[in-house]
Amino acid sequence: MFSAVSVALTVLIGLVLASVVQWEALRGRSIYRVLLILPYAVPAFISILIFKGLFNQSFGEVNMLLEGLFGISLAGSQTQC
């Protein structure tokens, strides 16, 4: 029962918000659209930044772990074509 009510309420709220954002007479529609998409976009962007730091060739945590456990150093092993 909880799942059915939760899904129905979420769909209803989503449809109402989509209708409001498409309303031609609404001032600042683009601001509302940005505010609606931000909760979906920000976590993905933060995840990209975290993985970029983890896999950094010079001082990333993954390279430090590989060097500490196995003695593998990847910082200077990249070849240029």
Side-chain angles (χ1 to χ4, degrees):
M1 185 67 173
F2 173 76
S3 297
V5 171
S6 176
V7 169
L9 191 60
T10 303
V11 168
L12 182 67
I13 291 172
L15 287 173
V16 168
L17 288 175
S19 297
V20 167
V21 170
Q22 292 299 321
W23 186 27
E24 293 291 329
L26 182 66
R27 290 179 158 223
R29 282 183 2 188
S30 60
I31 294 171
Y32 292 126
R33 287 180 180 171
V34 168
L35 290 176
L36 284 173
I37 199 68
L38 273 178
Y40 297 104
V42 170
F45 181 71
I46 291 173
S47 297
I48 290 169
L49 290 178
I50 289 172
F51 277 100
K52 183 180 176 184
L54 284 173
F55 290 107
N56 189 317
Q57 288 187 353
S58 301
F59 54 87
E61 292 293 326
V62 173
N63 286 337
M64 288 181 185
L65 183 69
L66 286 174
E67 189 172 353
L69 290 177
F70 305 110
I72 301 171
S73 178
L74 299 176
S77 65
Q78 193 178 42
T79 60
Q80 301 231 351
C81 295

